[in-house]
Amino acid sequence: MAGTVVNLKARTGQSEGLGARREIDLASLDFTNCPVRDVLQQIGGKWSTLLLEALAKQPYRFGELRRMIPDISQRMLTQSLRDLQRDGYIEREVFPTKPPSVEYRMTELGRSLYTVLSQLLNWAEANHDEVRAARLRFDADAV
Amino acid sequence: MAGTVVNLKARTGQSEGLGARREIDLASLDFTNCPVRDVLQQIGGKWSTLLLEALAKQPYRFGELRRMIPDISQRMLTQSLRDLQRDGYIEREVFPTKPPSVEYRMTELGRSLYTVLSQLLNWAEANHDEVRAARLRFDADAV
DNA sequence: CTGTATCCCGAAGGATACTG
DNA sequence: CAGTATCCTTCGGGATACAG
């Protein structure tokens, strides 16, 4: 089972020490190969999960996605799709039609991710009210 | 099952239309009550999952967390803990000792979240290599 | 239709100093 | 010990215009 302090150290790019006695070495913090952050940073983007949700259902073309998410800018749609493609979550196929058309579809890796990601999305939806209630309580106490 | 285009519309703060025929109303995009983004924004923070992982294991005091994550600034540690507390994921208890000590512990809501969140963290750890490989391939093709 | 290229702004986060 | 307060930098992301 993951999720212990050992993983914490892995997250900050450190190797685990010998015991609990030794203080951690502050130098040489790399951060570039923290697996969790490396993945979460991507799907933590403003539009990533939205696109994954859409493409999990079926392939879509650029313009279709654009219409489905009217408040995304063209720039961010392109960039988000590129990033998802770069990480191997989605594929891009160009059809050499008269006006060129491009279709995006989810890969197996993407589906694998979406399987666990959707659990989190469902949780968020299901517990949103409780979170909002907690916020109201907190803000009230803070006067 | 959630995670369809209907949810997409919910994410952007819209109510679902009557059918696929009608174009969505571009006006009145609220965004403040998009459940998924409302929750994901929090745990998408740079230190949130790290703190949740630590506190999922056991309660910790401020300084302990600080030592466990040496590259977090005091400012961000305070703020991240506050935010997690505000959303109801963790509790803060002050012990009126000589130098005051404060302990943070996970709530039931936090454990509930962490149950599904840890699945995602495990996935990230397990598939990190594949993601990195996909990136290398993408970057190579792009010349 | 599917993008690139620029410019720009606000929010996230780091460094440092000070406090009960 | 456990924070606040202030300043400053970086970066994600929006608006707009142009292009193949």
Side-chain angles (χ1 to χ4, degrees):
Chain A
M1 182 220 293
T4 68
V5 179
V6 172
N7 279 304
L8 278 179
K9 294 187 178 179
R11 294 282 284 291
T12 56
Q14 301 172 34
S15 51
E16 38 189 319
L18 328 124
R21 206 76 229 123
R22 190 104 196 83
E23 278 299 329
I24 43 246
D25 181 14
L26 297 197
S28 73
L29 296 178
D30 197 346
F31 265 98
T32 48
N33 47 352
C34 162
V36 174
R37 194 171 287 165
D38 203 24
V39 172
L40 282 207
Q41 175 134 356
Q42 221 4 265
I43 68 178
K46 187 170 179 182
W47 307 105
S48 307
T49 58
L50 216 38
L51 291 171
L52 288 178
E53 264 187 315
L55 295 174
K57 198 192 170 200
Q58 61 169 274
Y60 282 110
R61 287 178 42 193
F62 187 88
E64 291 177 321
L65 293 168
R66 196 158 136 69
R67 279 186 293 277
M68 289 170 65
I69 314 173
D71 48 344
I72 191 175
S73 64
Q74 219 164 10
R75 179 194 185 288
M76 286 316 294
L77 179 54
T78 302
Q79 181 176 310
S80 302
L81 289 171
R82 275 280 190 282
D83 290 344
L84 292 175
Q85 183 195 357
R86 190 172 106 99
D87 282 11
Y89 301 139
I90 65 177
E91 280 172 343
R92 190 181 104 115
E93 185 173 8
V94 182
F95 296 99
T97 51
K98 273 290 297 300
S101 72
V102 179
E103 192 177 270
Y104 293 89
R105 68 161 53 56
M106 194 164 257
T107 64
E108 277 315 302
L109 184 65
R111 297 206 175 277
S112 167
L113 168 64
Y114 188 72
T115 300
V116 298
L117 177 60
S118 61
Q119 300 300 313
L120 181 60
L121 304 184
N122 289 336
W123 188 95
E125 232 171 324
N127 297 83
H128 183 223
D129 287 345
E130 198 159 346
V131 171
R132 294 208 329 161
R135 280 184 198 164
L136 290 178
R137 263 182 274 118
F138 183 89
D139 294 347
D141 288 1
V143 178
Chain B
M1 180 218 298
T4 66
V5 178
V6 171
N7 280 304
L8 277 180
K9 294 187 178 180
R11 293 282 283 291
T12 55
Q14 304 172 33
S15 52
E16 37 189 318
L18 327 123
R21 206 75 229 126
R22 189 107 196 80
E23 278 301 328
I24 44 247
D25 182 13
L26 296 198
S28 73
L29 294 178
D30 198 346
F31 266 97
T32 49
N33 48 353
C34 162
V36 173
R37 195 171 286 165
D38 204 24
V39 172
L40 283 205
Q41 176 136 356
Q42 224 359 269
I43 68 178
K46 188 171 179 180
W47 307 105
S48 307
T49 58
L50 217 38
L51 291 171
L52 288 177
E53 262 186 316
L55 296 174
K57 198 192 169 197
Q58 61 170 274
Y60 281 111
R61 288 178 41 195
F62 187 88
E64 291 178 319
L65 292 169
R66 195 158 136 68
R67 279 186 292 278
M68 289 170 63
I69 315 173
D71 48 343
I72 191 176
S73 64
Q74 219 165 10
R75 181 193 184 292
M76 286 317 293
L77 180 54
T78 302
Q79 181 176 310
S80 301
L81 289 170
R82 276 276 191 284
D83 289 344
L84 292 175
Q85 184 195 356
R86 190 171 107 98
D87 282 12
Y89 301 140
I90 65 177
E91 280 172 345
R92 192 182 104 114
E93 185 173 6
V94 182
F95 297 99
T97 52
K98 272 292 293 306
S101 72
V102 180
E103 192 176 270
Y104 293 90
R105 69 154 86 339
M106 193 163 259
T107 64
E108 276 314 304
L109 185 65
R111 297 205 175 278
S112 167
L113 167 64
Y114 188 72
T115 300
V116 297
L117 177 59
S118 61
Q119 299 301 311
L120 181 60
L121 304 184
N122 289 337
W123 188 95
E125 231 172 323
N127 297 84
H128 183 222
D129 286 346
E130 197 158 350
V131 170
R132 294 207 329 159
R135 281 184 198 165
L136 290 178
R137 264 181 272 119
F138 182 89
D139 294 347
D141 288 2
V143 179

